[in-house]
Amino acid sequence: MSSTVIVLDNGGGYIKLGIGGDRNPTAVVPNCTARTTSTSSSKKTHHLISDEITTADPTSLTLRRPMDRGHLTNPDLQRDIWSHLFTTHLPHSPPSSSSLLLTLPPFSPPAVRRPLFELAFEDLSFRSLFVSDSFSLVHLYEASRNPDGVVSKTQCSLVVDSGFSFTHCAPVFQNFTLNYGVKRLDLGGKALTNYLKELISYRSINVMDETLIVDDVKENLCFVSLDVPRDLQLARRPGKDNIFKSTYVLPDGITHTKGFVKDTKEAQRYRSLYHGVADSPMSEKDDTDEDEDEEKSDSRKKIDLTKNEFNLTNERFLVPEMIFRPADLGMNEAGLAECIVRSVNSCHPLLHPVLYESIILTGGSTLFPHFAERLEKELRPLVPDDYQVKITTQEDPILGVWRGGSLLASSPDFETMCVTKFDYEEEGSARCSKRFFQ
């Protein structure tokens, strides 16, 4: 008997939730709750959950996340978030009459996996469960999207997933992740945001408690440098001569509750350095909204907010630089290019040329402008000359994993791949571990 399949990409930063077979998820919302204190004299505390956070004033919100470093650490909080999302966004697909496709990071210890199985079967009473890593789903989606491409023809790819908690390089062969080749870089969107907090707080204004605001600064102003020594020299120029200088206006809670870039034209001046270099999906989006941004900039420049703003210069490219050269910041980590080489070298030599020719970028941290160009520049000297290096950025790196899950969930064989509630009641979490992790 078939049932609705709910696809849940349970990321450390965002949850992507929807029905299997659909192209896009029903909801893409923060995987956290927040507590905010009213500015009124009563100082009343408000509790926000998941999607409620996106519409709230981001100033001084205290966030609680059920995931830490990619692993579930607070099952009760995760249950509350899931229950809220299922009720709010999928009211016509109750868990008791649905199957669940859930993503988990690789090498999750049994103590972390067990509470998730309990959530699915005991707390929410799903009919059946399938657990997948993100890499095989990305591979599946890219192979189906481009049936004449290298990924589809060879059924082989190297998935680079740079998300909220960390970055993975994972070889995939015939829709199976080769676990012995998976390499991890303990850097992701959270670490980049924290680094930007420190830079801004040291140089301008204390924003150590303003996670959501600094996230917005990072997403709107940061980019990957293709020539760091040159750009560091240019960033030392004073005033208007500094093409990296950009001003961000903080929310004041009265006239505007969200922060914004004061002058989008000023923020884009650095792109003159990269004329003719293809931009990332993030930059393409900026181009489509250029006219609208210009109108907003004209009105915003008239507002006197000098006490409520700060400038960024070299911070804009130093933050993404962490992923490529973490050792320069004193971190005992290999850069992303070295991580890829180590992953490829862990596989059979016959796979090496194919893996270098089918690198797929996914995850929100790959959205920085010029990410792929910089990665190719770093990787090319490390790869044998007779191998091609081809890097593909997904059309929407944030939704790539979910779309692969949606495609798998619509397969006629999906139900046979699941562990049913009856199986779980008979054998417990050991049945799930045996099915999905051995």
Side-chain angles (χ1 to χ4, degrees), residues 7-17 23-25 27-30 103 134 137-138 141-142 160-164 218-219 281-282 285 360-368 393-405:
V7 180
L8 179 60
D9 179 13
N10 199 56
Y14 281 84
I15 288 178
K16 283 71 72 176
L17 174 75
R23 168 162 172 80
N24 291 318
V28 180
V29 294
T103 62
S134 61
L137 297 181
V138 168
Y141 180 67
E142 282 301 309
V160 177
D161 185 354
S162 187
F164 178 79
K218 178 187 71 176
E219 291 165 9
M282 184 184 287
K285 182 179 179 229
I360 305 170
L361 300 183
T362 192
S365 295
T366 66
L367 278 169
F368 291 114
T393 301
Q394 290 202 296
E395 55 182 346
D396 192 334
I398 293 176
L399 300 183
V401 175
W402 189 91
R403 286 175 173 165

Side-chain angles (χ1 to χ4, degrees), residues 22-142:
D22 291 351
R23 168 162 172 80
N24 291 318
T26 307
V28 180
V29 294
N31 190 7
C32 61
T33 61
R35 188 178 72 252
T36 181
T37 302
S38 171
T39 54
S40 66
S41 57
S42 63
K43 296 292 183 183
K44 184 178 179 181
T45 299
H46 299 278
H47 294 277
L48 307 171
I49 185 167
S50 197
D51 48 336
E52 297 171 349
I53 296 171
T54 59
T55 58
D57 183 342
T59 307
S60 298
L61 286 179
T62 302
L63 303 181
R64 290 182 66 210
R65 301 186 186 274
M67 309 277 284
D68 181 39
R69 300 182 185 180
H71 299 305
L72 181 67
T73 56
N74 192 331
D76 293 336
L77 183 60
Q78 189 70 85
R79 181 191 61 234
D80 293 343
I81 293 172
W82 283 5
S83 297
H84 168 79
L85 293 179
F86 293 146
T87 303
T88 305
H89 296 284
L90 298 174
H92 303 299
S93 302
S96 59
S97 60
S98 305
S99 299
L100 177 65
L101 189 157
L102 177 67
T103 62
L104 275 181
F107 315 125
S108 297
V112 171
R113 302 193 301 252
R114 194 176 303 114
L116 283 169
F117 303 149
E118 293 171 359
L119 278 178
F121 286 121
E122 298 180 23
D123 295 327
L124 298 170
S125 297
F126 274 98
R127 290 187 54 196
S128 60
L129 171 70
F130 182 80
V131 177
S132 175
D133 59 71
S134 61
F135 320 119
S136 57
L137 297 181
V138 168
H139 170 92
L140 176 66
Y141 180 67
E142 282 301 309

